[in-house]
Amino acid sequence: MPGHQIAEMALAKLYLVTGQQKYLDQAKFFLDQRGHTSRTDEYSQAHKPVTEQDEAVGHAVRAAYMYAGMDEKGNAMWYMDETNEKGEVTGRTTTTTYADATRYFIGKSALPDFNGGLSTTFSYKGIDLSIATAFQIGGYAYDYSYLSGMSSSFYVGHNKDMWKTFNPETGQGSLPIWNADNASNSFTQQSDLNLIKASYFSIRNITLGYTLPKNLMRKLGVEKLRIYATADNLGLWSKRQGFDPRVAMAGSDDEYGGYSPMRVISGGINLTF
């Protein structure tokens, strides 16, 4: 069904993983609130109870505005339906007015095709090494942290892709024109232009340890002594530097504040008498 079921799906998944009833109760609350809204457009169908919403078989649960490139002045364009006098769709054209654009199912989902992890443990002559990794293949996300750096506001830091925007003096640029006088531009309007692949590979943990020989420890009255160092969240590789797909369950990296898990490096001694 069209609409915004990803939140309920994420909560149900959290319930299955944690077993905490609160997640299932929250999902049920969202479902029960369907139909209690002032929004009545046919895309969201949020004004209808779930049982009365139209099905969209074979599509991801979200549609999107489709970016159609730039006009000769560098303004962003989006696709929109062409209709006849009966309101029937007869074709597709482009518009520079975002409010006139049409949402389409684009075949891109926040759900990955596959995710998992790899781990290994190695030991030799008192040295032990363990490595744990995680990865995701497929899925798309909306990188709000990146887009905040493309904002028209002068009160935020801007990223280097600003240099790729259309320059009216040279007529060059791979991204739409950036206009400080226009707070509503292609970087604040949601479209598939700003979708990014959510595949990633991460090193979750590396632990290296050394256990001193037993014959030496017994002379000191110690049964076992192990020295170790461990590093959590050591590395992440994704489509864009700084983008962390792991903080997104519903397709945008602002859901949990956009902050990646902290990298922590520590060490210690295990002593057994």
Side-chain angles (χ1 to χ4, degrees):
M1 293 181 184
H4 297 277
Q5 288 92 332
I6 289 182
E8 291 93 328
M9 292 168 59
L11 288 165
K13 186 175 182 180
L14 283 171
Y15 168 71
L16 292 174
V17 172
T18 66
Q20 296 186 37
Q21 184 66 31
K22 64 179 182 179
Y23 295 120
L24 195 61
D25 293 341
Q26 188 67 50
K28 183 178 183 301
F29 170 77
F30 286 146
L31 285 169
D32 291 341
Q33 292 305 305
R34 294 288 181 85
H36 301 281
T37 178
S38 58
R39 184 174 180 179
T40 59
D41 61 279
E42 286 305 310
Y43 158 68
S44 72
Q45 299 190 71
H47 60 295
K48 300 179 182 179
V50 174
T51 55
E52 297 179 13
Q53 293 182 9
D54 297 328
E55 292 187 354
V57 179
H59 293 289
V61 295
R62 288 181 186 269
Y65 292 109
M66 291 178 61
Y67 175 68
M70 299 178 289
D71 64 10
E72 66 279 0
K73 295 181 179 180
N75 297 308
M77 298 188 297
W78 297 272
Y79 287 106
M80 64 176 290
D81 286 340
E82 288 183 309
T83 58
N84 57 23
E85 62 277 3
K86 297 180 181 179
E88 299 170 334
V89 177
T90 58
R92 185 179 293 182
T93 185
T94 60
T95 177
T96 56
T97 304
Y98 183 77
D100 294 336
T102 304
R103 280 190 176 103
Y104 300 97
F105 288 109
I106 58 176
K108 295 180 179 180
S109 170
L111 302 177
D113 298 319
F114 185 79
N115 55 26
L118 298 171
S119 62
T120 185
T121 300
F122 169 82
S123 62
Y124 179 74
K125 292 186 177 182
I127 299 174
D128 61 272
L129 174 68
S130 64
I131 302 174
T133 68
F135 63 88
Q136 175 175 297
I137 300 173
Y140 288 83
Y142 212 81
D143 190 357
Y144 282 102
S145 297
Y146 166 80
L147 292 174
S148 67
M150 302 294 285
S151 168
S152 60
S153 172
F154 289 108
Y155 301 101
V156 298
H158 295 101
N159 62 49
K160 61 182 181 181
D161 280 358
M162 293 288 294
W163 296 105
K164 299 179 181 179
T165 57
F166 183 85
N167 186 334
E169 295 181 356
T170 63
Q172 302 296 316
S174 58
L175 294 173
I177 192 168
W178 185 87
N179 187 351
D181 296 325
N182 180 13
S184 179
N185 54 47
S186 59
F187 304 109
T188 57
Q189 306 288 13
Q190 293 188 7
S191 73
D192 61 348
L193 168 65
N194 301 314
L195 286 177
I196 184 173
K197 289 184 178 180
S199 300
Y200 73 86
F201 179 82
S202 68
I203 301 177
R204 297 175 56 194
N205 174 270
I206 294 181
T207 299
L208 177 65
Y210 177 67
T211 302
L212 275 69
K214 289 186 178 181
N215 55 355
L216 176 62
M217 292 298 96
R218 286 171 182 169
K219 292 180 182 180
L220 301 175
V222 177
E223 179 65 24
K224 181 180 180 181
L225 184 116
R226 176 177 176 266
I227 303 171
Y228 70 91
T230 184
D232 294 316
N233 304 308
L234 193 58
L236 171 70
W237 292 266
S238 62
K239 180 67 174 178
R240 178 184 288 138
Q241 183 179 4
F243 170 60
D244 190 347
R246 298 173 298 176
V247 303
M249 289 191 69
S252 62
D253 70 344
D254 65 338
E255 294 159 36
Y256 308 130
Y259 295 107
S260 300
M262 291 183 61
R263 177 181 299 170
V264 179
I265 299 176
S266 58
I269 298 176
N270 293 329
L271 185 61
T272 304
F273 290 97

